[in-house]
Amino acid sequence: MYGTADVSGSDWEGLSRPVSHRSVMFEFEVPEVDYTQYSNRQLVAVPLVVLGLALAVLGGWYLVTGAPVSPSIDFTGGSELTVESSLSQAELRDNTFDEPVVSVQQVEGENRYIITFDSSNLEPIEETARSSDQMEFLGSGTTSPIFGQENQRLAVVGIGVAFLGMSLLVFAMFRSVVPSIAVVLSAFSDLVIPLAVMNLLGIKLSLGTVAALLMLIGYSVDSDILLNNHVLRRSGGFYESTYRAMRTGVTMTLTSMAAMAVMAISATIFGIELMASIGFVLVVGLAADLMNTYMLNVTLLRWYKYEGVKR
């Protein structure tokens, strides 16, 4: 009643062979761009137009407000109040205090907020919070206008010194005008574009976003020097060297962008406004760095390699 299966030796070997469970790894492949299809004018037009628009935004902002970027209380002075309340952020901002409220940030749970004011006079603000039945006063702090101006001066000096140091280092490394200008111009654009976007989206300049801008200088110099090194100092043709640099540089930049995007989204969900602003500035700056490095910098290097050196 029961039949016997006829299994050959090769079939037995297949049945007895252990099954290999290998994890499938995601591999990101950087596409090879055919730069020969585009002229130098076509490649350089996009980053220069974006840079021009960003400078126009900053210039217009300066004419309207007296500053190229809207500063936070870190630079203008003001007060911060920490309260616990069942009121919504909109109610705390619009209907609770006599002093104008700059922002209301939710932190450490559903009912805890940091409320920011332009005024440095903390007494009436604290009195309102303490006397209210709808909130519990937890703490406060102020930044004087004089201290804010000192912070502003130190931030400008810090960015200026970092940019100058980067420029001198690049000139010392390559000892040639065009490749060095390419790196410096890319880094400058990587700073200007996020500042313009911050204005358009209402993100104020704070000590945290200044730190993000300083990080962008490092990111920009890293990717641009990587490209210049491959093209000017390593063997191989121009396009082969450019693609080798892109495989490393693009992967590195996209990985950083993904990490910063996750940080910005998470911080936004949990109401950590400063971390969200830092993450957003870095994402925009890194996206600008991809454009400037592999369009603007590549164009200047190609012109230098095929035309400038011959002169």
Side-chain angles (χ1 to χ4, degrees), residues 16 21 74 80 111 139 141 198 228 240 246 262 273 275 295:
S16 61
H21 297 281
D74 292 339
E80 284 187 346
N111 298 324
M198 285 170 59
N228 286 18
E240 177 189 355
M246 284 183 68
V262 170
E273 186 177 344
M275 295 299 293
M295 294 183 74

Side-chain angles (χ1 to χ4, degrees), residues 9-293:
S10 61
D11 293 332
W12 280 112
E13 290 177 3
L15 292 172
S16 61
R17 188 180 299 118
V19 178
S20 175
H21 297 281
R22 293 181 299 174
S23 60
V24 179
M25 302 275 301
F26 173 77
E27 183 177 352
F28 175 76
E29 186 69 23
V30 177
E32 187 170 356
V33 180
D34 186 4
Y35 282 103
T36 60
Q37 294 184 354
Y38 307 97
S39 67
N40 287 341
R41 289 185 179 180
Q42 288 175 319
L43 284 175
V44 82
V46 174
L48 288 184
V49 167
V50 175
L51 175 59
L53 290 174
L55 289 172
V57 169
L58 295 180
W61 211 265
Y62 179 79
L63 292 176
V64 173
T65 66
V69 186
S70 298
S72 69
I73 67 167
D74 292 339
F75 302 123
T76 61
S79 306
E80 284 187 346
L81 196 68
T82 304
V83 299
E84 191 166 331
S85 175
S86 58
L87 298 174
S88 67
Q89 287 177 287
E91 289 171 330
L92 287 172
R93 181 185 297 109
D94 299 330
N95 304 318
T96 307
F97 296 92
D98 295 330
E99 297 289 341
V101 175
V102 175
S103 66
V104 179
Q105 179 183 349
Q106 189 173 4
V107 292
E108 298 182 10
E110 296 182 356
N111 298 324
R112 186 166 294 188
Y113 302 92
I114 294 178
I115 309 171
T116 305
F117 304 86
D118 279 329
S119 174
S120 298
N121 185 11
L122 197 55
E123 291 184 7
I125 298 172
E126 282 192 10
E127 184 179 348
T128 301
R130 292 179 188 276
S131 61
S132 174
D133 297 331
Q134 296 178 306
M135 72 179 74
E136 179 184 354
F137 173 79
L138 299 177
S140 62
T142 61
T143 300
S144 70
I146 296 176
F147 185 69
Q149 290 175 2
E150 182 66 15
N151 284 342
Q152 187 173 359
R153 186 186 68 81
L154 290 175
V156 171
V157 170
I159 293 177
V161 169
F163 202 85
L164 177 62
M166 175 271 295
S167 303
L168 294 176
L169 176 63
V170 170
F171 277 104
M173 287 184 62
F174 296 105
R175 298 180 182 179
S176 184
V177 175
V178 174
S180 302
I181 288 177
V183 177
V184 173
L185 184 58
S186 294
F188 175 73
S189 183
D190 290 348
L191 290 180
V192 170
I193 293 172
L195 287 172
V197 175
M198 285 170 59
N199 281 343
L200 296 176
L201 297 183
I203 299 175
K204 295 191 175 184
L205 187 68
S206 64
L207 292 176
T209 51
V210 167
L213 294 173
L214 291 173
M215 291 174 63
L216 282 176
I217 294 177
Y219 277 118
S220 177
V221 171
D222 191 21
S223 58
D224 287 325
I225 287 180
L226 174 69
L227 175 63
N228 286 18
N229 254 337
H230 275 77
V231 171
L232 300 177
R233 294 184 174 179
R234 297 194 180 184
S235 59
F238 175 82
Y239 298 106
E240 177 189 355
S241 300
T242 299
Y243 181 61
R244 281 203 311 264
M246 284 183 68
R247 281 186 297 181
T248 302
V250 171
T251 303
M252 177 179 64
T253 302
L254 289 179
T255 302
S256 300
M257 285 179 66
M260 294 303 105
V262 170
M263 183 183 80
I265 294 171
S266 302
T268 301
I269 292 173
F270 290 102
I272 309 174
E273 186 177 344
L274 177 60
M275 295 299 293
S277 299
I278 292 174
F280 178 79
V281 169
L282 287 172
V283 169
V284 173
L286 290 170
D289 183 53
L290 281 176
M291 176 186 66
N292 290 318
T293 300

